[in-house]
Amino acid sequence: MTDVDAALDAAGLTNQAVREYVGHWAQVLGPERIEVVSAADDARLIEESLAAGEIQPAGEGRYYSRSYYKDTARSEERTIVATSNPSDAGVYNNWRPAEEMKPLLVERMRGQYAGKTMYVIPYLMSPPGSPLEKYAAGVELTDNRTVVLHMIRMARVGISLINDLEDPDTFVRAVHVTGDLENLGQGTPDDQRYFVTVADERTILHFGSSYGGNALLGKIAHGLRQAAYDGWVSREFLSEQFMLIGITDKQTGKTWHICGGFPSASGKTNLAMMLAPDGLGDRYHVSFYGDDIAWLWVDPEDGRLYGMNPEFGVFGVAKDTNETTNPTALESVAEGTQVLFTNVAWNEQTYEVWWEGKTKNPPADLEGWHDWKGEKLSDRSDRDDSPWAHPNSRFTTTLANVPNVAADFEDPAGVPIDGIIFGGRTSDREPLIRAITDLAEGVYDGLTLGAEATFAAEGVDGQLRYDPMSMRPFMSYAEGDYAAHWLRIVGAAKEQPIFAHVNWFQKDPEDGHFLWPGYRDNLRPLLWLMQLKDGEVTGRQTPVGILPTEEELVLDGCNVAADDLATLLDIDVPRWRDEMGFREDHLKQFDRLPEAIWEAHRRVAEALDDLG
Ligand code: OXD
Ligand code: MN
């Protein structure tokens, strides 16, 4: 066993509460060494990881790693929110009693760092000086150097961040143990993994993975689950799986900010990194704040709703990222960015990387190429057409690498929020955009967000897999209380944001083509939304919200067939009536759902019925 005090003294870690926490867990985990890390250690840690073969070079200032083949995604069934209050149980949070989970995790983790280094990662999930800084501090312990490299990219990491806390004891205790990945029974009845957030103790205990979503504890476990719980208990803020962008009108100098939630595979990162389409680029500029998490609160001084991205980087899905879908993402992983790729295909001779959808066809010359499992592509049988890269392969790069990152992305004050949007992947029924000006109807719309199931087995035809506010995997308390908290926080804002539901994925039922070009053209409906908020257009009222008229949507340089446009800007009433029945069943699951949400539901249902 190592001398904890000597290691912490040498690192200059003076926060007494953090020292006690590290000392306690060193007893449980039994590491051989302790190393406290700061972002300034990145270059040395990269060298060490290269030398140890944990990462590989992928071009100048770019790196590549592979994870164990059964450890490539978040595991929702093994993810648990534990507290001491049974009324925290919701439909989605897999609630368990804290007193049951804590000893179980401690026993699983005991001695697991033997012969290893315990990395102590002091981090902040906010820009320093944020009004929410006291909810942002954490200290992750991990036995995995690649996890450290990811954390340095995804969070602000440094000893000074934790030494100087206003309340030295207010930090999230986040313990990560990789475990013996080859013997954890992933996905079997004997699964050994546990990813537990003990939310009322601000303690995260994750055992049995080194995949980002399970192992970068600042991001999802703290930044989303814990923060959502803290925001509710304190009555101070919301934490949501939202992207956040700015749109500037260069003619008037006005900037609007829009945040919003999209279930996975609905294009959230592409939207967050979008550029203005050619026809509108002279006038409008889109700036990037974040692609995955937003914290929202009302400023007591000016009474406005503010938002900020607590993260420091992007942990983006590589698949299908290319010059058309997301050119900014490609620039943010260019040479010199210190990006880390995970589970893409990699060439050991040229150090190139490739993933499905990067180019139309994979590289023709197989020489040097390995698939995400490390197998040589040249050794593959002709019959093997499995993907070269894992569908959930990732790139991890800092926000500052994104070419259109907003000039004020690190401003601790955050940015005022003008619009909150929700959007799933829906092949019919949902128009291009429908705006909602009533708070309860906006929250109701978020609660009934969903996307068509991607796996036949999981889905029922025509029915969505509901994913309230895109928070289904990250809910930390009961959904009815969550809805009430939304009404409370946003309701306190003097200037109300406008809500909208968007859908880029409507298809022609006959030939299956997408009706809307998507990507950069998605700016057009968002501009209309901001004009509606500012009273410059009026749209057309329907039972499910206000839709743009064809004349109002700025379509210069955009190719959409007239009949496709007509469908995009209309609602399919019979399909909507079916949907209302599904929504009712969905909402009935939630205890304590505020009456205001039920009233919103009934208003929409009655308005649809009134259409005759
Ligand atoms: C996720 C992610 O799993 O952002 O949602 O990585
Ligand atoms: Mn996410």
Side-chain angles (χ1 to χ4, degrees):
M1 248 299 279
T2 177
D3 182 341
V4 180
D5 281 328
L8 301 183
D9 286 344
L13 201 153
T14 53
N15 178 323
Q16 197 50 38
V18 175
R19 292 177 69 106
E20 278 163 25
Y21 154 68
V22 175
H24 169 79
W25 280 97
Q27 287 288 331
V28 175
L29 299 162
E32 191 173 301
R33 288 179 63 237
I34 295 183
E35 183 176 333
V36 187
V37 292
S38 288
D41 297 316
D42 192 57
R44 174 181 55 80
L45 291 165
I46 289 271
E47 286 312 316
E48 289 175 11
S49 303
L50 285 166
E54 295 155 0
I55 62 171
Q56 313 292 335
E60 173 56 34
R62 313 199 318 164
Y63 309 95
Y64 166 58
S65 77
R66 278 194 287 270
S67 64
Y68 179 59
Y69 78 102
K70 290 183 186 166
D71 185 34
T72 54
R74 279 188 289 106
S75 165
E76 290 178 21
E77 330 76 71
R78 306 299 300 171
T79 302
I80 286 165
V81 174
T83 69
S84 300
N85 185 354
S87 74
D88 288 339
V91 174
Y92 300 124
N93 67 352
N94 282 340
W95 182 87
R96 306 292 310 152
E99 63 186 21
E100 177 191 317
M101 294 317 293
K102 279 192 301 181
L104 204 154
L105 266 289
V106 170
E107 275 331 298
R108 218 150 272 217
M109 289 177 163
R110 196 174 292 287
Q112 289 279 336
Y113 281 14
K116 296 179 163 189
T117 298
M118 172 200 260
Y119 294 97
V120 178
I121 313 172
Y123 66 84
L124 205 56
M125 296 308 293
S126 78
S130 154
L132 299 179
E133 186 176 325
K134 66 170 181 284
Y135 301 106
V139 179
E140 174 163 354
L141 309 179
T142 181
D143 54 356
N144 193 306
R145 188 157 36 195
T146 312
V147 167
V148 179
L149 296 176
H150 278 90
M151 276 295 286
I152 289 175
R153 281 151 186 75
M154 294 305 297
R156 292 158 176 92
V157 171
I159 296 169
S160 63
L161 299 172
I162 215 84
N163 276 346
D164 304 337
L165 291 181
E166 213 170 283
D167 175 357
D169 200 25
T170 303
F171 64 93
V172 169
R173 288 143 168 89
V175 185
H176 167 244
V177 171
T178 304
D180 177 8
L181 294 173
E182 289 171 29
N183 291 296
L184 295 177
Q186 292 94 335
T188 70
D190 192 31
D191 205 324
Q192 301 293 306
R193 301 169 300 162
Y194 271 115
F195 308 117
V196 180
T197 298
V198 190
D200 53 356
E201 297 183 25
R202 307 194 78 228
T203 296
I204 298 165
L205 305 172
H206 278 209
F207 172 80
S209 171
S210 68
Y211 166 72
N214 301 324
L216 312 179
L217 301 188
K219 181 180 172 58
I220 287 173
H222 178 169
L224 280 173
R225 279 187 209 102
Q226 181 66 54
Y229 194 86
D230 290 342
W232 170 60
V233 170
S234 67
R235 304 287 189 263
E236 275 187 50
F237 68 107
L238 297 165
S239 171
E240 305 296 328
Q241 190 192 206
F242 280 4
M243 59 96 216
L244 174 55
I245 58 172
I247 304 173
T248 301
D249 181 340
K250 295 189 244 178
Q251 234 164 60
T252 63
K254 175 156 191 180
T255 297
W256 300 279
H257 298 99
I258 299 179
C259 64
F262 294 73
S264 57
S266 301
K268 180 160 56 84
T269 300
N270 294 344
L271 181 70
M273 293 189 175
M274 158 180 76
L275 300 172
D278 289 338
L280 298 183
D282 287 345
R283 173 139 185 207
Y284 298 101
H285 174 76
V286 186
S287 45
F288 169 84
Y289 287 88
D291 77 322
D292 201 42
I293 307 181
W295 289 6
L296 305 172
W297 70 98
V298 172
D299 181 318
E301 301 270 300
D302 68 4
R304 289 206 67 180
L305 183 69
Y306 278 79
M308 66 108 170
N309 172 13
E311 303 197 83
F312 191 62
V314 178
F315 180 57
V317 175
K319 185 173 187 292
D320 288 331
T321 302
N322 59 48
E323 284 299 341
T324 308
T325 59
N326 198 338
T328 29
L330 291 184
E331 264 194 68
S332 38
V333 301
E335 296 204 331
T337 53
Q338 305 300 316
V339 61
L340 283 171
F341 294 103
T342 309
N343 292 343
V344 296
W346 173 75
N347 190 307
E348 67 179 336
Q349 289 166 11
T350 63
Y351 298 156
E352 288 166 281
V353 289
W354 191 83
W355 51 82
E356 273 63 28
K358 181 167 190 263
T359 49
K360 190 151 173 273
N361 297 308
D365 181 0
L366 299 186
E367 179 79 25
W369 280 101
H370 292 252
D371 69 13
W372 69 273
K373 290 183 181 163
E375 307 292 336
K376 280 192 171 152
L377 266 309
S378 54
D379 288 352
R380 267 197 181 184
S381 93
D382 290 346
R383 284 192 309 271
D384 184 352
D385 60 357
S386 59
W388 285 28
H390 189 279
N392 191 34
S393 57
R394 298 278 178 151
F395 57 85
T396 310
T397 193
T398 55
L399 299 177
N401 284 326
V402 179
N404 62 334
V405 72
D408 58 350
F409 81 101
E410 300 221 78
D411 186 344
V415 293
I417 299 295
D418 297 286
I420 300 178
I421 62 174
F422 303 112
R425 184 178 272 274
T426 319
S427 54
D428 66 359
R429 184 179 54 77
E430 274 295 358
L432 180 62
I433 185 165
R434 49 185 177 86
I436 298 165
T437 51
D438 175 77
L439 170 62
E441 278 179 34
V443 174
Y444 161 71
D445 195 73
L447 294 172
T448 51
L449 172 65
E452 276 158 11
T454 38
F455 300 104
E458 254 191 87
V460 180
D461 202 25
Q463 222 171 312
L464 298 181
R465 178 183 190 263
Y466 290 109
D467 185 348
M469 310 270 186
S470 71
M471 284 290 282
R472 182 176 169 138
F474 314 112
M475 283 285 182
S476 50
Y477 57 101
E479 292 77 8
D481 299 333
Y482 172 85
H485 187 48
W486 256 89
L487 295 173
R488 176 189 308 122
I489 293 287
V490 182
K494 272 203 245 127
E495 182 178 331
Q496 287 290 293
I498 192 163
F499 286 84
H501 198 107
V502 298
N503 179 26
W504 324 132
F505 300 100
Q506 213 179 143
K507 281 186 183 167
D508 182 297
E510 308 272 293
D511 65 10
H513 79 268
F514 285 108
L515 305 186
W516 178 249
Y519 306 115
R520 297 163 77 164
D521 287 303
N522 294 339
L523 180 62
R524 300 171 190 277
L526 298 184
L527 274 175
W528 171 83
L529 182 69
M530 293 298 100
Q531 286 163 352
L532 182 72
K533 178 168 186 264
D534 290 354
E536 289 163 21
V537 293
T538 51
R540 172 172 80 88
Q541 185 72 54
T542 77
V544 294
I546 304 170
L547 270 59
T549 63
E550 290 188 17
E551 301 71 43
E552 287 172 350
L553 212 52
V554 182
L555 289 172
D556 329 23
C558 175
N559 278 332
V560 193
D563 50 345
D564 287 352
L565 188 63
T567 312
L568 286 163
L569 301 184
D570 206 358
I571 61 163
D572 179 340
V573 175
R575 287 280 292 106
W576 266 100
R577 287 186 183 140
D578 292 345
E579 170 63 13
M580 296 310 285
F582 303 143
R583 286 183 172 192
E584 184 147 338
D585 293 344
H586 162 64
L587 293 177
K588 269 192 197 147
Q589 305 172 88
F590 304 144
D591 289 339
R592 302 187 291 279
L593 194 67
E595 190 46 31
I597 301 296
W598 280 119
E599 280 166 14
H601 174 72
R602 287 193 292 268
R603 263 199 313 277
V604 175
E606 278 161 24
L608 282 163
D609 286 345
D610 286 350
L611 286 185

